[in-house]
Amino acid sequence: MALALLLWLVLAIVYDLRERRVPNWLVLFGGVFALAALATTQPFDIGWSEAGLGAAVGFGFLLFFYATGLMGAGDVKFAGVLGLWVGLSDLIPIWVVASLMAFAHAVLWRKLRDWPIFPRLTSMLVGPSRASEPDVPARRVRIIPYAAYLALAAAVWMVWGRQGS
């Protein structure tokens, strides 16, 4: 089941970096496998209550940022499912690392957007443009791929952070 989590994290990283969104099918995929892991192998030695608390806090805390327009719904749902996988006690350091990466992304974007020397790097930081696509409804531009940073921090946690456990 740890391999399923790693696959889910890699898919989230790639999808969010490329599209600046996390589709519902990807969130559902992660949730189903998290529940299956809890019911069978429990790869991270957490129980149902710890997983449920991680999911509730992960979803509930980021819901505020969605309500204020600072975050997309996919990021919020992704954080809830990630909390289901790792539990609250491990979700907190993952959040801290992901938030620091997102902050660095935002600072770099703010610094580079006014410099015409790095237009390609700046456009990579912003993500894809949907303005020219006729079938895509107008939506607020999401510059920070927060779910990708959560997934990256969780992947690092899986490889290095859990070795002492």
Side-chain angles (χ1 to χ4, degrees):
M1 281 297 181
L3 187 59
L5 173 59
L6 191 57
L7 174 64
W8 180 64
L9 294 173
V10 169
L11 285 171
I13 291 167
V14 170
Y15 207 99
D16 199 23
L17 284 175
R18 291 186 60 140
E19 302 293 326
R20 292 302 194 269
R21 57 184 293 275
V22 181
N24 288 332
W25 65 264
L26 187 58
V27 174
L28 185 61
F29 174 79
V32 166
F33 277 97
L35 292 173
L38 279 167
T40 57
T41 61
Q42 297 181 351
F44 305 118
D45 296 325
I46 62 168
W48 287 94
S49 60
E50 173 74 9
L53 188 60
V57 171
F59 182 84
F61 183 75
L62 293 185
L63 193 58
F64 168 77
F65 294 100
Y66 170 73
T68 59
L70 296 173
M71 186 170 285
D75 297 327
V76 177
K77 293 180 277 188
F78 182 86
V81 174
L82 183 60
L84 190 62
W85 270 107
V86 302
L88 181 60
S89 61
D90 288 324
L91 183 62
I92 292 171
I94 290 170
W95 251 345
V96 169
V97 170
S99 296
L100 289 173
M101 288 188 288
F103 178 74
H105 181 122
V107 168
L108 186 60
W109 173 76
R110 296 276 296 184
K111 293 293 181 190
L112 292 178
R113 74 180 176 161
D114 298 329
W115 290 13
I117 300 170
F118 302 109
R120 183 154 171 83
L121 179 58
T122 305
S123 67
M124 285 173 45
L125 288 170
V126 171
S129 173
R130 300 265 189 249
S132 62
E133 297 178 27
D135 295 337
V136 177
R139 62 184 172 99
R140 186 174 174 164
V141 175
R142 304 271 184 230
I143 296 168
I144 309 295
Y146 194 69
Y149 290 132
L150 279 172
L152 184 59
V156 169
W157 165 84
M158 277 185 68
V159 173
W160 287 291
R162 298 296 296 174
Q163 288 182 7
S165 299

